[in-house]
Amino acid sequence: MLSYPEPGPLTLNVNGDMLSLTPRPADTLLYSLRQELGLTGAKPGCENGDCGACTVMVDGLPIKSCLMLTAEAEGREIRTVEGLNNTVLQDAFMDAWAFQCGYCTSGFLMTAHALMEREPEADEATIVEWLRSNLCRCTGYEEIVQAVKAALEQTQRS
Amino acid sequence: MIASRFQYYRPETLDEACQLYMRLQEAKKMPLYYGGGTEILTRARESAIRPDAVLDIKHIPECRRLEMAEDTIVFGAAVTLDEICRTNYWPLLSDAAGRVADHTTRCKITLGGHLAGTIPYREASLPFMIFARDAKITVQGPAGPRRIPLVQVYDGQLHLGSAEFVVDLSVPRSVRDYRGASVKTTRIDWVDYPLFTVTMVRDSSGVRAAFSGVLADPFTSASIDKILSGKADLSQRARESVAQMNPIIDDLHGSSAYRRFRLTTVISQLLQEIGE
């Protein structure tokens, strides 16, 4: 049985790299990514599972990293916004000006990236349903939906 | 950040989990079984709970079963609501589970945690409550697993003994044959705590319904089912059934008068939707 009764070393697979860290058993994945691994792309917003600013992908699924313990994530494939480089989706966000202050953007990108992998034929209703997991307090939702639609269309064309 | 300290354990068998829970209890610790952990983590962050240990049951194979056999559908306690929706073995359950929280959070919330949590809505339990006489639950405890009718331990709240936890829920495959629908209403936004949720089914004996967000806990009622199955026009049946509900919740999400008004409308719509 895997157990962490005390802070102890563990290894996480983040963006394809095996990274060692020593979290407390009560540390969330969000906390460890930012404070121990220096990966600050996942943003602390509400830390209550509401805003989605901390969304990462775990085994291909969007997960709010404030709602996952670091110990839970051991043995799973974690992808953060730092693992996205020059993707069609990021280009589409820039083309559509799908951000204002930008604080929520990494969370939206990870939710949308998971959507593109799991639902490559997604229609607008599906896009909206997935993106309802994330909040943008600048209220730039329309541009974000347009960006995701454009990225999906471009991926389908290619 | 979660300020309090707790230990993390990942048992791999039912017995291992239960024995560990009892050992921790004997050592005067407060252990918690941990499924998706969404409620445990948010409450621990607020210091509303201070567990000494969490026992992550997601790696116990029996808790991860999600199977549709010839005559039964089995939903493991550690299956997420997203997995339930995606496999869609029971469309009525998919409807109800698919309106809990938001899409990303449903990738983490497990069926067992949803039933055992303190958040009172438990919308995904409504289809099981409608078929409570046929639904079974497997509970692991110190004496081993026991498979019993759901009604013995769930009446809108889960009543388990010390060190017990839910392993799975199962229903006859025939539940798929009945025409049903589920509607969650919110005050303003699509993603929000519910104003209320109504799930309704029509079978050869009439209409059966389950409600959440109306009274303190989810409930079914034979007298309401009788009214809903009657011959009066739909709006009258809706009004008479809502009149049976008392006391209706009156809180920030909506006053009892507002809930009563919306309930009457939604019940009429659902009756129409299931072919009444």
Side-chain angles (χ1 to χ4, degrees), chain A residues 1-64:
Chain A
M1 171 171 52
L2 181 76
S3 63
Y4 289 104
E6 300 290 337
L10 61 76
T11 303
L12 291 185
N13 177 349
V14 185
N15 301 322
D17 296 325
M18 301 306 287
L19 304 176
S20 298
L21 63 164
T22 310
R24 295 182 316 131
D27 282 347
T28 61
L29 179 59
L30 170 65
Y31 185 85
S32 294
L33 287 171
R34 292 178 60 84
Q35 303 297 331
E36 289 213 57
L37 299 178
L39 296 169
T40 56
K43 302 298 182 196
C46 64
E47 294 189 64
N48 199 50
D50 295 321
C51 74
C54 66
T55 303
V56 299
M57 285 168 65
V58 178
D59 291 342
L61 289 171
I63 293 288
K64 295 175 181 178

Side-chain angles (χ1 to χ4, degrees), chain B residues 131-144:
Chain B
F131 291 97
R133 278 172 298 184
D134 305 312
K136 298 278 197 303
I137 186 169
T138 308
V139 174
Q140 171 72 26

Side-chain angles (χ1 to χ4, degrees), chain B residues 230-249:
Chain B
K231 297 294 177 198
D233 69 63
L234 302 188
S235 56
Q236 188 180 337
R237 281 188 246 173
R239 280 194 305 276
E240 286 178 16
S241 58
V242 173
Q244 300 280 313
M245 302 173 193
N246 197 35
I248 290 181
I249 293 173

Side-chain angles (χ1 to χ4, degrees), chain A residues 1-5 24-26 47-49 62 64 67-69 71-72 74 118-119 129-130 132-133, chain B residues 1-2 4 6-11 16 34 41-42 45 56 58 86 102-106 108 190:
Chain A
M1 171 171 52
L2 181 76
S3 63
Y4 289 104
R24 295 182 316 131
E47 294 189 64
N48 199 50
K64 295 175 181 178
L67 293 182
M68 177 175 261
L69 293 171
E72 256 185 291
E74 186 174 31
R118 288 179 73 86
E119 305 260 7
E129 206 275 321
W130 278 60
R132 280 190 174 122
S133 303
Chain B
M1 180 183 175
I2 297 169
S4 63
F6 55 75
Q7 302 173 329
Y8 175 85
Y9 295 96
R10 192 187 282 181
E16 196 174 50
Y34 183 99
L41 295 189
T42 50
R45 186 185 62 78
D56 186 350
K58 291 193 292 294
R86 197 164 281 278
D102 57 56
H103 185 277
T104 301
T105 309
R106 289 195 297 275
K108 197 71 169 53
W190 180 262

Side-chain angles (χ1 to χ4, degrees), chain B residues 4 8 18 50 60-61 71 76 79 90 104 122-123 129 138 151 173 201-202 204 207 220 225 230 240 253 257:
Chain B
S4 63
Y8 175 85
C18 193
R50 292 176 180 274
I60 300 173
D71 54 357
V79 168
W90 187 10
T104 301
R122 305 182 192 99
E123 302 99 305
M129 291 184 80
T138 308
V151 286
R173 189 169 164 153
V201 164
R202 180 171 181 249
S204 54
V207 176
T220 56
D225 288 350
E240 286 178 16
H253 297 293

Side-chain angles (χ1 to χ4, degrees), chain B residues 143-200:
Chain B
R146 57 192 175 113
R147 188 164 178 264
I148 52 177
L150 180 64
V151 286
Q152 285 187 16
V153 291
Y154 190 77
D155 59 1
Q157 276 190 39
L158 193 59
H159 304 283
L160 297 184
S162 177
E164 289 188 330
F165 64 98
V166 179
V167 178
D168 65 42
L169 279 83
S170 57
V171 287
R173 189 169 164 153
S174 58
V175 298
R176 291 165 51 89
D177 300 337
Y178 301 116
R179 191 166 174 181
S182 186
V183 169
K184 170 183 167 179
T185 61
T186 53
R187 179 75 179 266
I188 299 172
D189 210 347
W190 180 262
V191 174
D192 198 355
Y193 285 117
L195 191 62
F196 60 81
T197 302
V198 184
T199 302
M200 206 177 273

